[in-house]
């Protein structure tokens, strides 16, 4: 039986967010778990290669702790199983034993077979298994060739290095679909999509350990004794060959799982009977939280002549539904000496006077790209400063906008939300949690758990917390229409509840939803669904 406990228990800290919990994990260099005191090791180390390139919207860029397959696809089910995931660039060297002592296991999902000193790397993997850590290999082994010499390792040397797993790589590769046959599969396979009649390719891999379990067995019609364990788990970890873990649609079409990632990682990492910290449930009921980004508070609304979008949200949403809500502002849009006016300054004060509203900051001047330091607007006498955008906005709100006794309890990232480590470090210093990014959707357009975001991303030694659902900007195609599009967020709420609850209900929007009749109607629809 899975024990459900609060989000606070998962990450070692919490803050009230719209009546629920927003999590803050330990820093990446936290002390190792005290197993003698009964604490189970719940952290796994994900390896990536910065030498590999990731398809970014701005071109092909080196892989990072965020731009890699484990973060994009595997971290969410790992988080759901109660596991934290930290990242390491293997191109910067092998972690030593002291570093590895705190990890339950290692997860890799490489896209290339080149690495510096491949045999040393494979022997290091073998040493992790001998030390009792699980090793999970998805996709390519990642170490068949030396990057400098381009020499290919002998299969015997590979198998000797990986001997604790019982895996033997025997070669016999073919892409001839006419001679590849499916010999056996179990319920762990064909999770979101059936295997195709023409299987992608064949290589022969056998797991010799009797205590391991093959989940997908292929063979060659033209070769005797050609069984191949393309997906297998055991007490040592797990292996899922490239193109047999998930199906990738062409272009930007997304992906679907062929393996059941929840079952695969449960078996591979040996967490089947563990109590699981649960970030979706509190007191037996599904968590709901809602937050408003500050954009558009000044927009004039077509809903009521002369009214601002912020005023419409105040009248139609915040004072009508009285749900606990984290509401933010952009300081420059309310401060009369910048882009604001007495009208918007007083509106912000009225919003924060509501007993059901928690104060959040959406920055000082709304950075669009925190890495490139670009902004939505650049007041001449407000030079760009990470300190001003974070601590400065918090200080302004607490001194000018909030009633006595209220504090800023949340920072809501602006723009692309790809924030820098120094920005998070400032908020951690202030004790202010952060949120935004992730863009979870699981609906008819994105019918897969691969589009459900994990809990957070690692930024150096700090963490950025993701939202649990996308906001209306994506549902309205970057606010170009259809303006009723946010109605469809309900599909994600329902599809992340059944057949398994993988996310809280997070109603996340901007003040500009009060600008249009259709967008306001969508907000009403979503709030009524929540109630």
């Amino acid at each position: 039986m899975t024990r459900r406990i609060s989000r606070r228990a998962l990450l070692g800290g919490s803050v009230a967010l719209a009546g629920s919990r927003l999590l803050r994990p330990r820093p990446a260099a936290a002390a190792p778990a005290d197993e003698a005191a009964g604490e189970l090791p719940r952290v796994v180390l994900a390896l990536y290669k910065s030498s590999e390139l990731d398809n970014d919207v701005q071109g092909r860029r080196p892989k990072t702790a965020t731009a890699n397959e484990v973060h994009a696809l595997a971290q969410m089910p790992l988080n759901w199983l109660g596991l934290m995931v930290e990242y390491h660039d293997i191109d910067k060297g092998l972690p030593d034993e002291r570093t590895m002592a705190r990890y339950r296991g290692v997860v890799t999902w490489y896209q290339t077979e080149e690495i510096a000193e491949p045999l040393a790397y494979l022997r290091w993997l073998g040493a992790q298994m001998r030390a009792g850590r699980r090793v999970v290999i998805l996709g390519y082994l990642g170490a068949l060739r030396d990057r400098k010499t381009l020499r290919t390792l002998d299969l015997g040397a590979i198998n000797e290095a990986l001997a604790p797993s019982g895996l033997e790589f025997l070669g016999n590769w073919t892409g001839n679909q006419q001679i590849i046959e499916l010999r056996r599969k179990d319920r762990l396979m064909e999770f979101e999509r059936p295997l195709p009649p023409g299987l992608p390719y064949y290589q022969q891999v056998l797991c010799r350990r009797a205590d391991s379990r093959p989940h997908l067995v292929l063979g060659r019609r033209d070769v005797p004794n050609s069984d191949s364990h393309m997906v297998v788990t055991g007490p040592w970890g797990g292996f899922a060959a490239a193109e047999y873990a998930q199906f990738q649609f062409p272009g930007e079409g997304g992906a679907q799982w062929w393996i059941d990632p929840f079952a695969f990682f449960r078996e591979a990492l040996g967490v089947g009977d563990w109590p699981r910290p649960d970030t979706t449930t509190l007191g037996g009921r599904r968590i709901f939280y809602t937050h408003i980004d500050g954009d558009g508070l000044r927009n004039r609304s077509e809903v009521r002549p002369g009214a601002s979008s912020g005023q419409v949200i105040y009248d139609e949403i915040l004072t009508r539904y009285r749900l606990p809500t984290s509401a933010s502002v952009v300081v420059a849009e309310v401060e009369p000496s910048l882009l604001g006016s007495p009208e918007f300054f007083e509106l912000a004060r009225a919003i924060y006077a509501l007993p059901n509203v928690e104060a959040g900051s959406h920055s000082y001047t709304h950075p669009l790209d925190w890495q490139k330091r670009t902004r939505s607007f650049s007041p001449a006498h407000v030079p760009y400063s990470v300190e001003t955008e974070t601590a400065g906005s918090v200080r302004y709100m607490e001194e000018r906008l909030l009633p006595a006794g209220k504090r800023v309890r949340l920072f809501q990232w602006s723009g692309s939300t790809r924030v820098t480590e120094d920005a998070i470090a400032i908020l951690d210093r202030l004790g202010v949690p952060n949120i935004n990014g992730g863009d979870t959707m699981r609906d008819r357009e994105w019918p897969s758990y691969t589009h459900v975001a994990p809990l957070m991303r690692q930024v150096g030694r700090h963490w950025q917390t993701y939202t649990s659902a996308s906001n209306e900007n994506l549902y309205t195609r970057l606010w170009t229409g259809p303006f009723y599009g946010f109605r469809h967020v309900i599909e994600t709420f329902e599809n992340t509840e059944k057949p398994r609850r993988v996310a809280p209900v997070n109603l996340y929007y901007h003040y500009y939803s009060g600008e249009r009749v259709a967008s306001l109607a969508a907000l009403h629809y979503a709030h009524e669904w929540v109630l």
Side-chain angles (χ1 to χ4, degrees):
M1 177 179 178
T2 298
R3 184 179 67 154
R4 295 193 180 276
I5 58 181
S6 75
R7 302 184 80 180
R8 179 177 182 177
L10 178 61
L11 299 179
S14 67
V15 64
L17 172 60
S20 69
R21 306 274 182 184
L22 179 68
L23 306 176
R24 300 181 65 229
R26 300 175 183 178
D34 185 359
E35 293 188 60
E39 183 176 342
L40 299 170
R42 294 188 291 105
V43 188
V44 297
L45 184 65
L47 304 179
Y48 68 92
K49 300 177 185 178
S50 57
S51 56
E52 293 183 349
L53 297 179
D54 186 71
N55 288 317
D56 186 87
V57 292
Q58 299 179 10
R60 289 173 61 77
R61 296 187 171 188
K63 294 282 178 71
T64 67
T66 300
N68 66 77
E69 283 69 23
V70 176
H71 181 75
L73 302 172
Q75 186 181 325
M76 187 281 287
L78 289 167
N79 288 161
W80 186 84
L81 289 165
L83 296 164
M84 288 292 293
V85 185
E86 295 175 1
Y87 292 84
H88 174 74
D89 179 4
I90 200 64
D91 288 334
K92 293 183 177 179
L94 298 170
D96 59 24
E97 179 57 29
R98 183 179 178 183
T99 300
M100 294 304 300
R102 65 185 300 266
Y103 294 110
R104 174 158 189 80
V106 175
V107 179
T108 71
W109 200 334
Y110 300 130
Q111 301 299 300
T112 62
E113 291 289 14
E114 290 79 30
I115 197 170
E117 301 184 41
L119 192 54
Y121 166 76
L122 294 174
R123 287 171 175 164
W124 178 85
L125 283 185
Q128 302 313 306
M129 289 182 262
R130 290 188 186 92
R133 299 180 195 106
R134 306 278 183 125
V135 172
V136 181
I137 301 167
L138 299 116
Y140 294 101
L141 181 60
L144 293 184
R145 287 183 295 277
D146 188 296
R147 180 180 299 129
K148 293 181 179 179
T149 66
L150 298 182
R151 290 179 180 174
T152 300
L153 288 186
D154 177 74
L155 290 179
I158 293 171
N159 296 333
E160 181 181 0
L162 297 178
S165 68
L167 288 175
E168 286 192 28
F169 290 81
L170 302 173
N172 296 325
W173 189 95
T174 183
N176 183 354
Q177 296 180 343
Q178 300 294 323
I179 60 175
I180 305 172
E181 62 181 4
L182 173 62
R183 292 189 174 167
R184 191 165 69 253
K185 68 179 188 296
D186 65 15
R187 288 184 294 178
L188 188 142
M189 300 303 303
E190 300 186 314
F191 179 61
E192 291 182 332
R193 186 181 185 87
L195 290 166
L199 295 166
Y201 74 98
Y202 167 96
Q203 63 170 321
Q204 191 168 20
V205 184
L206 287 177
C207 188
R208 301 290 189 182
R209 287 184 55 153
D211 55 2
S212 295
R213 178 183 171 189
H215 304 284
L216 176 66
V217 181
L218 304 185
R220 287 181 58 156
R221 295 185 175 94
D222 63 332
V223 175
N225 302 317
S226 61
D227 275 7
S228 178
H229 301 160
M230 301 294 273
V231 178
V232 60
T233 57
W236 51 274
F239 170 72
E243 299 186 54
Y244 287 98
Q246 108 285 354
F247 171 81
Q248 189 70 44
F249 289 96
E252 300 296 321
Q256 286 184 312
W257 286 104
W258 268 328
I259 63 172
D260 178 342
F262 305 98
F264 177 82
F265 290 121
R266 183 184 65 231
E267 298 302 319
L269 290 163
V271 296
D273 59 351
W274 282 21
R276 287 180 207 152
D278 191 323
T279 64
T280 70
T281 304
L282 194 64
R285 301 185 67 182
R286 191 180 187 188
I287 291 170
F288 159 77
Y289 70 101
T290 180
H291 65 295
I292 310 172
D293 279 356
D295 311 57
L297 180 139
R298 301 178 303 138
N299 294 14
R300 289 303 165 186
S301 174
E302 68 179 29
V303 175
R304 193 167 67 245
S308 67
S309 296
Q311 186 68 52
V312 170
I313 294 297
Y314 177 90
D315 295 336
E316 295 282 342
I317 303 296
L318 294 175
T319 60
R320 174 172 176 173
Y321 294 101
R322 297 286 179 173
L323 290 166
T325 303
S326 297
S328 67
V329 296
V330 178
V331 168
E333 292 197 332
V334 298
E335 165 52 37
S337 66
L338 297 175
L339 302 177
S341 67
E343 174 192 356
F344 301 121
F345 182 84
E346 293 303 325
L347 174 59
R349 289 174 57 88
I351 289 171
Y352 290 126
L354 293 173
N356 58 305
V357 169
E358 177 181 80
S361 170
H362 199 46
S363 78
Y364 209 96
T365 63
H366 199 278
L368 290 172
D369 190 319
W370 289 77
Q371 296 173 334
K372 295 181 178 179
R373 301 189 167 209
T374 60
R375 299 185 283 181
S376 293
F377 30 80
S378 301
H381 56 293
V382 184
Y384 187 93
S385 161
V386 175
E387 183 77 24
T388 298
E389 296 297 341
T390 52
S393 66
V394 170
R395 184 168 55 251
Y396 176 95
M397 292 179 64
E398 293 183 342
E399 292 176 354
R400 305 287 306 278
L401 300 180
L402 304 189
K406 274 198 176 181
R407 302 292 300 274
V408 172
R409 298 296 185 185
L410 184 65
F411 194 94
Q412 299 165 219
W413 301 114
S414 61
S416 69
T417 74
R418 289 300 177 92
V419 297
T420 54
E421 184 178 7
D422 56 348
I424 306 177
I426 292 170
L427 297 175
D428 283 354
R429 184 191 75 207
L430 297 175
V432 177
N434 69 86
I435 197 170
N436 282 353
D439 297 335
T440 285
M441 288 182 174
R442 187 168 187 261
D443 51 28
R444 67 192 71 183
E445 188 172 353
W446 300 101
S448 173
Y449 286 109
T450 62
H451 216 69
V452 177
L455 295 177
M456 65 200 67
R457 77 181 186 104
Q458 182 178 334
V459 186
R461 292 170 55 87
H462 298 269
W463 300 88
Q464 175 183 342
T465 308
Y466 284 149
T467 64
S468 306
S470 294
N471 60 54
E472 84 281 45
N473 195 40
L474 295 182
Y475 285 96
T476 59
R477 291 178 170 80
L478 307 185
W479 203 239
T480 61
F483 294 106
Y484 59 80
F486 198 44
R487 291 173 57 95
H488 298 303
V489 73
I490 303 305
E491 288 186 47
T492 291
F493 295 161
E494 293 174 340
N495 292 333
T496 51
E497 169 72 2
K498 295 178 180 179
R500 59 171 52 79
R501 182 181 293 172
V502 296
V505 172
N506 174 202
L507 193 52
Y508 166 34
Y509 58 101
H510 301 76
Y511 288 112
Y512 56 66
S513 271
E515 179 184 321
R516 306 282 183 138
V517 172
S519 56
L520 180 63
L523 268 190
H524 281 301
Y525 180 79
H527 280 79
E528 294 293 340
W529 183 92
V530 166
L531 293 177

